[in-house]
mmCIF file of all heavy atoms in Angstrom:
data_model
loop_
_atom_site.group_PDB
_atom_site.id
_atom_site.type_symbol
_atom_site.label_atom_id
_atom_site.label_comp_id
_atom_site.label_asym_id
_atom_site.label_seq_id
_atom_site.Cartn_x
_atom_site.Cartn_y
_atom_site.Cartn_z
ATOM 1 N N GLU A 23 108.546 -68.458 57.263
ATOM 2 C CA GLU A 23 107.805 -67.201 57.232
ATOM 3 C C GLU A 23 106.349 -67.264 57.644
ATOM 4 O O GLU A 23 105.839 -66.462 58.347
ATOM 5 C CB GLU A 23 107.716 -66.726 55.731
ATOM 6 C CG GLU A 23 109.055 -66.152 55.239
ATOM 7 C CD GLU A 23 108.951 -65.716 53.758
ATOM 8 O OE1 GLU A 23 109.207 -66.599 52.853
ATOM 9 O OE2 GLU A 23 108.546 -64.515 53.576
ATOM 10 N N ILE A 24 105.673 -68.404 57.287
ATOM 11 C CA ILE A 24 104.231 -68.537 57.653
ATOM 12 C C ILE A 24 104.152 -68.748 59.144
ATOM 13 O O ILE A 24 103.277 -68.132 59.725
ATOM 14 C CB ILE A 24 103.635 -69.748 56.810
ATOM 15 C CG1 ILE A 24 103.541 -69.328 55.315
ATOM 16 C CG2 ILE A 24 102.272 -70.093 57.372
ATOM 17 C CD1 ILE A 24 103.132 -70.373 54.441
ATOM 18 N N ASN A 25 104.945 -69.559 59.680
ATOM 19 C CA ASN A 25 104.893 -69.864 61.089
ATOM 20 C C ASN A 25 105.281 -68.610 62.020
ATOM 21 O O ASN A 25 104.543 -68.354 62.939
ATOM 22 C CB ASN A 25 105.827 -70.931 61.536
ATOM 23 C CG ASN A 25 105.309 -72.331 61.187
ATOM 24 O OD1 ASN A 25 104.098 -72.608 61.252
ATOM 25 N ND2 ASN A 25 106.146 -73.201 60.740
ATOM 26 N N PHE A 26 106.144 -67.809 61.540
ATOM 27 C CA PHE A 26 106.474 -66.539 62.162
ATOM 28 C C PHE A 26 105.301 -65.582 62.118
ATOM 29 O O PHE A 26 104.945 -64.942 63.141
ATOM 30 C CB PHE A 26 107.746 -65.894 61.514
ATOM 31 C CG PHE A 26 108.157 -64.608 62.220
ATOM 32 C CD1 PHE A 26 108.853 -64.609 63.384
ATOM 33 C CD2 PHE A 26 107.882 -63.381 61.620
ATOM 34 C CE1 PHE A 26 109.244 -63.408 63.989
ATOM 35 C CE2 PHE A 26 108.196 -62.220 62.130
ATOM 36 C CZ PHE A 26 108.910 -62.211 63.355
ATOM 37 N N PHE A 27 104.682 -65.466 60.958
ATOM 38 C CA PHE A 27 103.538 -64.605 60.779
ATOM 39 C C PHE A 27 102.384 -65.039 61.683
ATOM 40 O O PHE A 27 101.817 -64.264 62.458
ATOM 41 C CB PHE A 27 103.052 -64.590 59.366
ATOM 42 C CG PHE A 27 101.735 -64.023 59.135
ATOM 43 C CD1 PHE A 27 101.566 -62.620 59.323
ATOM 44 C CD2 PHE A 27 100.607 -64.805 58.721
ATOM 45 C CE1 PHE A 27 100.218 -62.092 59.074
ATOM 46 C CE2 PHE A 27 99.375 -64.266 58.623
ATOM 47 C CZ PHE A 27 99.207 -62.848 58.719
ATOM 48 N N VAL A 28 102.080 -66.405 61.662
ATOM 49 C CA VAL A 28 100.892 -66.859 62.482
ATOM 50 C C VAL A 28 101.245 -66.754 63.972
ATOM 51 O O VAL A 28 100.348 -66.491 64.742
ATOM 52 C CB VAL A 28 100.613 -68.339 62.153
ATOM 53 C CG1 VAL A 28 99.634 -68.938 63.122
ATOM 54 C CG2 VAL A 28 100.088 -68.401 60.688
ATOM 55 N N ASP A 29 102.527 -66.978 64.415
ATOM 56 C CA ASP A 29 102.793 -66.822 65.853
ATOM 57 C C ASP A 29 102.619 -65.339 66.258
ATOM 58 O O ASP A 29 102.093 -65.168 67.388
ATOM 59 C CB ASP A 29 104.301 -67.279 66.139
ATOM 60 C CG ASP A 29 104.396 -68.758 66.160
ATOM 61 O OD1 ASP A 29 103.468 -69.446 66.194
ATOM 62 O OD2 ASP A 29 105.615 -69.171 66.039
ATOM 63 N N GLY A 30 102.873 -64.433 65.449
ATOM 64 C CA GLY A 30 102.723 -63.003 65.739
ATOM 65 C C GLY A 30 101.273 -62.648 65.915
ATOM 66 O O GLY A 30 100.908 -62.008 66.954
ATOM 67 N N VAL A 31 100.349 -63.158 65.010
ATOM 68 C CA VAL A 31 98.905 -62.816 65.116
ATOM 69 C C VAL A 31 98.349 -63.554 66.311
ATOM 70 O O VAL A 31 97.352 -63.106 66.912
ATOM 71 C CB VAL A 31 98.140 -63.086 63.872
ATOM 72 C CG1 VAL A 31 98.619 -62.043 62.793
ATOM 73 C CG2 VAL A 31 98.173 -64.397 63.343
ATOM 74 N N ARG A 32 98.888 -64.761 66.618
ATOM 75 C CA ARG A 32 98.341 -65.486 67.696
ATOM 76 C C ARG A 32 98.639 -64.879 69.024
ATOM 77 O O ARG A 32 97.731 -64.807 69.923
ATOM 78 C CB ARG A 32 99.026 -67.005 67.735
ATOM 79 C CG ARG A 32 98.530 -67.868 68.826
ATOM 80 C CD ARG A 32 99.319 -69.181 68.780
ATOM 81 N NE ARG A 32 98.844 -69.979 67.782
ATOM 82 C CZ ARG A 32 99.527 -70.885 67.047
ATOM 83 N NH1 ARG A 32 100.799 -71.030 67.332
ATOM 84 N NH2 ARG A 32 98.978 -71.547 66.107
ATOM 85 N N GLN A 33 99.795 -64.277 69.124
ATOM 86 C CA GLN A 33 100.157 -63.587 70.416
ATOM 87 C C GLN A 33 99.550 -62.211 70.561
ATOM 88 O O GLN A 33 99.129 -61.776 71.630
ATOM 89 C CB GLN A 33 101.716 -63.518 70.538
ATOM 90 C CG GLN A 33 102.381 -64.840 70.719
ATOM 91 C CD GLN A 33 103.895 -64.742 70.628
ATOM 92 O OE1 GLN A 33 104.474 -63.668 70.596
ATOM 93 N NE2 GLN A 33 104.494 -65.824 70.635
ATOM 94 N N LYS A 34 99.633 -61.446 69.491
ATOM 95 C CA LYS A 34 99.265 -59.987 69.535
ATOM 96 C C LYS A 34 97.843 -59.709 69.037
ATOM 97 O O LYS A 34 97.305 -58.684 69.240
ATOM 98 C CB LYS A 34 100.228 -59.218 68.794
ATOM 99 C CG LYS A 34 101.655 -59.278 69.144
ATOM 100 C CD LYS A 34 102.544 -58.517 68.347
ATOM 101 C CE LYS A 34 104.042 -58.787 68.723
ATOM 102 N NZ LYS A 34 104.888 -58.249 67.700
ATOM 103 N N GLY A 35 97.271 -60.573 68.253
ATOM 104 C CA GLY A 35 95.937 -60.309 67.616
ATOM 105 C C GLY A 35 96.284 -59.561 66.302
ATOM 106 O O GLY A 35 97.371 -59.384 65.947
ATOM 107 N N ILE A 36 95.155 -59.179 65.702
ATOM 108 C CA ILE A 36 95.257 -58.417 64.408
ATOM 109 C C ILE A 36 94.656 -57.100 64.587
ATOM 110 O O ILE A 36 93.498 -56.941 64.898
ATOM 111 C CB ILE A 36 94.477 -59.224 63.344
ATOM 112 C CG1 ILE A 36 95.016 -60.604 63.170
ATOM 113 C CG2 ILE A 36 94.534 -58.499 61.985
ATOM 114 C CD1 ILE A 36 94.215 -61.511 62.242
ATOM 115 N N PRO A 37 95.493 -56.033 64.477
ATOM 116 C CA PRO A 37 94.946 -54.643 64.575
ATOM 117 C C PRO A 37 94.113 -54.340 63.353
ATOM 118 O O PRO A 37 94.423 -54.647 62.281
ATOM 119 C CB PRO A 37 96.184 -53.780 64.688
ATOM 120 C CG PRO A 37 97.312 -54.599 64.050
ATOM 121 C CD PRO A 37 96.908 -55.984 64.228
ATOM 122 N N MET A 38 92.916 -53.699 63.652
ATOM 123 C CA MET A 38 91.981 -53.443 62.684
ATOM 124 C C MET A 38 91.464 -52.009 62.858
ATOM 125 O O MET A 38 91.119 -51.650 64.091
ATOM 126 C CB MET A 38 90.805 -54.440 62.598
ATOM 127 C CG MET A 38 89.875 -54.174 61.478
ATOM 128 S SD MET A 38 88.679 -55.549 61.305
ATOM 129 C CE MET A 38 87.412 -54.934 62.437
ATOM 130 N N ARG A 39 91.458 -51.180 61.840
ATOM 131 C CA ARG A 39 90.888 -49.862 62.016
ATOM 132 C C ARG A 39 89.495 -49.780 61.375
ATOM 133 O O ARG A 39 89.318 -50.319 60.359
ATOM 134 C CB ARG A 39 91.882 -48.861 61.285
ATOM 135 C CG ARG A 39 93.223 -48.857 61.949
ATOM 136 C CD ARG A 39 94.121 -47.856 61.220
ATOM 137 N NE ARG A 39 93.765 -46.539 61.646
ATOM 138 C CZ ARG A 39 94.559 -45.454 61.434
ATOM 139 N NH1 ARG A 39 95.581 -45.607 60.680
ATOM 140 N NH2 ARG A 39 94.211 -44.282 61.820
ATOM 141 N N THR A 40 88.661 -49.200 62.140
ATOM 142 C CA THR A 40 87.257 -49.011 61.677
ATOM 143 C C THR A 40 86.901 -47.525 61.815
ATOM 144 O O THR A 40 87.523 -46.823 62.584
ATOM 145 C CB THR A 40 86.280 -49.903 62.418
ATOM 146 O OG1 THR A 40 86.291 -49.524 63.853
ATOM 147 C CG2 THR A 40 86.623 -51.388 62.223
ATOM 148 N N GLY A 41 85.857 -47.204 61.197
ATOM 149 C CA GLY A 41 85.278 -45.821 61.369
ATOM 150 C C GLY A 41 83.798 -45.909 61.663
ATOM 151 O O GLY A 41 83.135 -46.771 61.375
ATOM 152 N N LYS A 42 83.405 -44.893 62.487
ATOM 153 C CA LYS A 42 82.114 -44.825 62.830
ATOM 154 C C LYS A 42 81.726 -43.374 62.851
ATOM 155 O O LYS A 42 82.515 -42.494 63.167
ATOM 156 C CB LYS A 42 81.673 -45.520 64.133
ATOM 157 C CG LYS A 42 82.388 -44.931 65.362
ATOM 158 C CD LYS A 42 81.983 -45.620 66.552
ATOM 159 C CE LYS A 42 82.691 -45.011 67.836
ATOM 160 N NZ LYS A 42 82.368 -45.672 69.087
ATOM 161 N N SER A 43 80.425 -42.993 62.568
ATOM 162 C CA SER A 43 80.079 -41.639 62.512
ATOM 163 C C SER A 43 79.453 -41.276 63.900
ATOM 164 O O SER A 43 78.850 -42.019 64.548
ATOM 165 C CB SER A 43 79.038 -41.367 61.412
ATOM 166 O OG SER A 43 77.928 -42.214 61.707
ATOM 167 N N GLU A 44 79.749 -39.998 64.199
ATOM 168 C CA GLU A 44 79.170 -39.501 65.440
ATOM 169 C C GLU A 44 77.717 -39.067 65.265
ATOM 170 O O GLU A 44 77.463 -38.608 64.182
ATOM 171 C CB GLU A 44 79.969 -38.241 65.915
ATOM 172 C CG GLU A 44 81.348 -38.554 66.535
ATOM 173 C CD GLU A 44 81.227 -39.274 67.886
ATOM 174 O OE1 GLU A 44 80.410 -38.856 68.694
ATOM 175 O OE2 GLU A 44 81.980 -40.189 68.120
ATOM 176 N N GLU A 45 76.937 -39.343 66.185
ATOM 177 C CA GLU A 45 75.478 -39.062 66.003
ATOM 178 C C GLU A 45 75.128 -37.631 65.920
ATOM 179 O O GLU A 45 74.304 -37.222 65.074
ATOM 180 C CB GLU A 45 74.648 -39.694 67.197
ATOM 181 C CG GLU A 45 74.581 -41.277 67.143
ATOM 182 C CD GLU A 45 73.892 -41.831 68.347
ATOM 183 O OE1 GLU A 45 72.929 -41.136 68.851
ATOM 184 O OE2 GLU A 45 74.183 -42.942 68.688
ATOM 185 N N LYS A 46 75.808 -36.847 66.697
ATOM 186 C CA LYS A 46 75.383 -35.440 66.725
ATOM 187 C C LYS A 46 76.167 -34.514 65.659
ATOM 188 O O LYS A 46 75.843 -33.378 65.601
ATOM 189 C CB LYS A 46 75.679 -34.893 68.129
ATOM 190 C CG LYS A 46 74.823 -35.625 69.224
ATOM 191 C CD LYS A 46 75.051 -34.968 70.617
ATOM 192 C CE LYS A 46 74.238 -35.722 71.519
ATOM 193 N NZ LYS A 46 74.418 -35.268 72.963
ATOM 194 N N SER A 47 77.053 -35.058 65.001
ATOM 195 C CA SER A 47 77.840 -34.277 63.997
ATOM 196 C C SER A 47 78.070 -35.054 62.805
ATOM 197 O O SER A 47 77.769 -36.305 62.738
ATOM 198 C CB SER A 47 79.093 -33.790 64.621
ATOM 199 O OG SER A 47 79.990 -34.848 64.816
ATOM 200 N N ASN A 48 78.661 -34.543 61.752
ATOM 201 C CA ASN A 48 78.981 -35.243 60.574
ATOM 202 C C ASN A 48 80.436 -35.713 60.569
ATOM 203 O O ASN A 48 81.007 -35.931 59.526
ATOM 204 C CB ASN A 48 78.739 -34.350 59.440
ATOM 205 C CG ASN A 48 77.309 -34.025 59.172
ATOM 206 O OD1 ASN A 48 76.458 -34.869 59.558
ATOM 207 N ND2 ASN A 48 77.015 -32.850 58.594
ATOM 208 N N LEU A 49 80.943 -35.973 61.655
ATOM 209 C CA LEU A 49 82.414 -36.422 61.883
ATOM 210 C C LEU A 49 82.486 -37.879 61.803
ATOM 211 O O LEU A 49 81.581 -38.597 62.333
ATOM 212 C CB LEU A 49 83.027 -35.926 63.046
ATOM 213 C CG LEU A 49 83.219 -34.360 63.254
ATOM 214 C CD1 LEU A 49 83.725 -34.079 64.665
ATOM 215 C CD2 LEU A 49 84.076 -33.812 62.135
ATOM 216 N N MET A 50 83.547 -38.417 61.234
ATOM 217 C CA MET A 50 83.849 -39.867 61.258
ATOM 218 C C MET A 50 84.931 -39.975 62.307
ATOM 219 O O MET A 50 85.877 -39.234 62.287
ATOM 220 C CB MET A 50 84.376 -40.384 59.891
ATOM 221 C CG MET A 50 83.206 -40.545 58.864
ATOM 222 S SD MET A 50 82.079 -41.791 59.229
ATOM 223 C CE MET A 50 83.009 -43.239 58.966
ATOM 224 N N VAL A 51 84.822 -40.979 63.127
ATOM 225 C CA VAL A 51 85.804 -41.227 64.244
ATOM 226 C C VAL A 51 86.523 -42.482 63.943
ATOM 227 O O VAL A 51 85.873 -43.623 63.566
ATOM 228 C CB VAL A 51 85.049 -41.429 65.543
ATOM 229 C CG1 VAL A 51 86.075 -41.809 66.670
ATOM 230 C CG2 VAL A 51 84.315 -40.129 65.926
ATOM 231 N N ASP A 52 87.793 -42.396 63.835
ATOM 232 C CA ASP A 52 88.696 -43.514 63.578
ATOM 233 C C ASP A 52 88.845 -44.337 64.812
ATOM 234 O O ASP A 52 89.180 -43.835 65.894
ATOM 235 C CB ASP A 52 90.039 -43.025 63.097
ATOM 236 C CG ASP A 52 90.896 -44.126 62.474
ATOM 237 O OD1 ASP A 52 90.346 -45.153 61.997
ATOM 238 O OD2 ASP A 52 92.122 -43.986 62.516
ATOM 239 N N GLU A 53 88.602 -45.697 64.754
ATOM 240 C CA GLU A 53 88.721 -46.492 65.909
ATOM 241 C C GLU A 53 89.638 -47.642 65.601
ATOM 242 O O GLU A 53 89.453 -48.220 64.589
ATOM 243 C CB GLU A 53 87.310 -46.990 66.238
ATOM 244 C CG GLU A 53 87.202 -47.779 67.479
ATOM 245 C CD GLU A 53 85.714 -48.178 67.782
ATOM 246 O OE1 GLU A 53 85.097 -48.623 66.925
ATOM 247 O OE2 GLU A 53 85.396 -48.125 68.974
ATOM 248 N N ARG A 54 90.538 -48.051 66.507
ATOM 249 C CA ARG A 54 91.388 -49.165 66.405
ATOM 250 C C ARG A 54 90.948 -50.251 67.360
ATOM 251 O O ARG A 54 90.822 -50.016 68.552
ATOM 252 C CB ARG A 54 92.826 -48.688 66.716
ATOM 253 C CG ARG A 54 93.828 -49.872 66.485
ATOM 254 C CD ARG A 54 95.251 -49.338 66.642
ATOM 255 N NE ARG A 54 96.149 -50.404 66.264
ATOM 256 C CZ ARG A 54 96.876 -51.060 67.161
ATOM 257 N NH1 ARG A 54 97.004 -50.681 68.397
ATOM 258 N NH2 ARG A 54 97.703 -52.017 66.756
ATOM 259 N N VAL A 55 90.774 -51.478 66.713
ATOM 260 C CA VAL A 55 90.312 -52.605 67.551
ATOM 261 C C VAL A 55 91.310 -53.670 67.233
ATOM 262 O O VAL A 55 91.784 -53.871 66.169
ATOM 263 C CB VAL A 55 88.905 -53.007 67.068
ATOM 264 C CG1 VAL A 55 88.441 -54.221 67.844
ATOM 265 C CG2 VAL A 55 87.927 -51.888 67.166
ATOM 266 N N THR A 56 91.590 -54.562 68.290
ATOM 267 C CA THR A 56 92.468 -55.653 68.048
ATOM 268 C C THR A 56 91.560 -56.936 68.109
ATOM 269 O O THR A 56 90.861 -57.168 69.055
ATOM 270 C CB THR A 56 93.501 -55.770 69.124
ATOM 271 O OG1 THR A 56 94.363 -54.586 69.153
ATOM 272 C CG2 THR A 56 94.423 -56.973 68.939
ATOM 273 N N ILE A 57 91.664 -57.698 66.948
ATOM 274 C CA ILE A 57 90.913 -58.914 66.811
ATOM 275 C C ILE A 57 91.757 -60.090 67.321
ATOM 276 O O ILE A 57 92.849 -60.307 66.734
ATOM 277 C CB ILE A 57 90.465 -59.157 65.393
ATOM 278 C CG1 ILE A 57 89.682 -57.985 64.794
ATOM 279 C CG2 ILE A 57 89.653 -60.408 65.246
ATOM 280 C CD1 ILE A 57 88.318 -57.689 65.439
ATOM 281 N N GLY A 58 91.251 -60.719 68.332
ATOM 282 C CA GLY A 58 92.102 -61.851 68.950
ATOM 283 C C GLY A 58 91.492 -63.148 68.517
ATOM 284 O O GLY A 58 90.408 -63.257 67.787
ATOM 285 N N LEU A 59 92.180 -64.185 68.968
ATOM 286 C CA LEU A 59 91.727 -65.584 68.599
ATOM 287 C C LEU A 59 90.287 -65.866 69.036
ATOM 288 O O LEU A 59 89.651 -66.705 68.439
ATOM 289 C CB LEU A 59 92.670 -66.609 69.287
ATOM 290 C CG LEU A 59 94.027 -66.874 68.627
ATOM 291 C CD1 LEU A 59 94.785 -67.824 69.399
ATOM 292 C CD2 LEU A 59 93.843 -67.337 67.167
ATOM 293 N N GLU A 60 89.824 -65.231 70.121
ATOM 294 C CA GLU A 60 88.555 -65.572 70.594
ATOM 295 C C GLU A 60 87.366 -64.979 69.808
ATOM 296 O O GLU A 60 86.263 -65.306 69.981
ATOM 297 C CB GLU A 60 88.390 -65.047 72.140
ATOM 298 C CG GLU A 60 88.346 -63.553 72.253
ATOM 299 C CD GLU A 60 89.736 -62.795 72.073
ATOM 300 O OE1 GLU A 60 90.734 -63.417 72.067
ATOM 301 O OE2 GLU A 60 89.620 -61.552 71.884
ATOM 302 N N ASN A 61 87.732 -64.030 68.899
ATOM 303 C CA ASN A 61 86.737 -63.334 68.099
ATOM 304 C C ASN A 61 86.310 -64.244 66.970
ATOM 305 O O ASN A 61 87.105 -64.798 66.248
ATOM 306 C CB ASN A 61 87.251 -62.007 67.634
ATOM 307 C CG ASN A 61 86.235 -61.118 67.095
ATOM 308 O OD1 ASN A 61 85.345 -61.575 66.281
ATOM 309 N ND2 ASN A 61 86.325 -59.884 67.478
ATOM 310 N N GLU A 62 85.026 -64.337 66.695
ATOM 311 C CA GLU A 62 84.408 -65.154 65.633
ATOM 312 C C GLU A 62 84.963 -64.596 64.170
ATOM 313 O O GLU A 62 85.005 -65.336 63.256
ATOM 314 C CB GLU A 62 82.910 -64.986 65.639
ATOM 315 C CG GLU A 62 82.199 -65.906 64.675
ATOM 316 C CD GLU A 62 81.997 -67.288 65.145
ATOM 317 O OE1 GLU A 62 82.168 -67.562 66.366
ATOM 318 O OE2 GLU A 62 81.792 -68.199 64.256
ATOM 319 N N LYS A 63 85.228 -63.344 64.121
ATOM 320 C CA LYS A 63 85.729 -62.707 62.846
ATOM 321 C C LYS A 63 87.185 -62.932 62.588
ATOM 322 O O LYS A 63 87.727 -62.392 61.640
ATOM 323 C CB LYS A 63 85.462 -61.173 62.872
ATOM 324 C CG LYS A 63 84.067 -60.761 63.007
ATOM 325 C CD LYS A 63 83.911 -59.291 63.056
ATOM 326 C CE LYS A 63 82.678 -58.818 63.335
ATOM 327 N NZ LYS A 63 82.559 -57.330 63.485
ATOM 328 N N PHE A 64 87.935 -63.673 63.452
ATOM 329 C CA PHE A 64 89.358 -63.820 63.310
ATOM 330 C C PHE A 64 89.828 -64.254 61.949
ATOM 331 O O PHE A 64 90.675 -63.606 61.391
ATOM 332 C CB PHE A 64 89.863 -64.731 64.412
ATOM 333 C CG PHE A 64 91.405 -64.886 64.465
ATOM 334 C CD1 PHE A 64 92.240 -63.865 64.991
ATOM 335 C CD2 PHE A 64 91.956 -65.913 63.824
ATOM 336 C CE1 PHE A 64 93.592 -63.980 64.990
ATOM 337 C CE2 PHE A 64 93.335 -66.031 63.903
ATOM 338 C CZ PHE A 64 94.119 -65.068 64.402
ATOM 339 N N LEU A 65 89.322 -65.327 61.469
ATOM 340 C CA LEU A 65 89.746 -65.875 60.199
ATOM 341 C C LEU A 65 89.398 -64.946 59.028
ATOM 342 O O LEU A 65 90.277 -64.817 58.129
ATOM 343 C CB LEU A 65 89.166 -67.242 59.913
ATOM 344 C CG LEU A 65 89.953 -68.430 60.366
ATOM 345 C CD1 LEU A 65 89.389 -69.734 59.923
ATOM 346 C CD2 LEU A 65 91.438 -68.390 60.234
ATOM 347 N N GLN A 66 88.312 -64.267 59.044
ATOM 348 C CA GLN A 66 87.905 -63.272 58.023
ATOM 349 C C GLN A 66 88.981 -62.203 57.935
ATOM 350 O O GLN A 66 89.441 -61.816 56.929
ATOM 351 C CB GLN A 66 86.536 -62.784 58.202
ATOM 352 C CG GLN A 66 86.081 -61.797 57.146
ATOM 353 C CD GLN A 66 86.083 -62.396 55.692
ATOM 354 O OE1 GLN A 66 85.524 -63.508 55.594
ATOM 355 N NE2 GLN A 66 86.618 -61.726 54.761
ATOM 356 N N VAL A 67 89.229 -61.634 59.166
ATOM 357 C CA VAL A 67 90.268 -60.545 59.211
ATOM 358 C C VAL A 67 91.638 -61.060 58.833
ATOM 359 O O VAL A 67 92.343 -60.405 58.099
ATOM 360 C CB VAL A 67 90.311 -59.905 60.570
ATOM 361 C CG1 VAL A 67 91.392 -58.866 60.743
ATOM 362 C CG2 VAL A 67 88.854 -59.314 60.954
ATOM 363 N N LEU A 68 92.041 -62.243 59.199
ATOM 364 C CA LEU A 68 93.249 -62.858 58.845
ATOM 365 C C LEU A 68 93.372 -63.046 57.347
ATOM 366 O O LEU A 68 94.447 -62.759 56.764
ATOM 367 C CB LEU A 68 93.519 -64.148 59.617
ATOM 368 C CG LEU A 68 94.827 -64.866 59.368
ATOM 369 C CD1 LEU A 68 95.939 -64.007 59.910
ATOM 370 C CD2 LEU A 68 94.854 -66.175 60.088
#
């Protein structure tokens, strides 16, 4: 199970959803980012 899980995140990265506010309005924009192995935040997100 662990090896299958790690192989999946190694190949595809980890999808992460974030929100940010638009400057000109009070809207929040949903943003999807994929955190890959090259990202310094990888282990924190994992």
Side-chain angles (χ1 to χ4, degrees):
E23 286 180 272
I24 291 172
N25 285 323
F26 181 76
F27 167 70
V28 172
D29 286 343
V31 297
R32 181 182 284 149
Q33 292 173 7
K34 300 175 189 171
I36 303 169
M38 186 172 88
R39 296 178 82 170
T40 61
K42 62 179 181 179
S43 62
E44 286 291 318
E45 291 180 26
K46 296 180 182 179
S47 66
N48 292 331
L49 297 176
M50 288 293 287
V51 177
D52 191 30
E53 184 177 44
R54 183 173 185 248
V55 179
T56 301
I57 305 295
L59 282 177
E60 71 285 346
N61 194 316
E62 188 83 18
K63 297 178 186 177
F64 182 79
L65 273 189
Q66 180 63 47
V67 175
L68 185 61

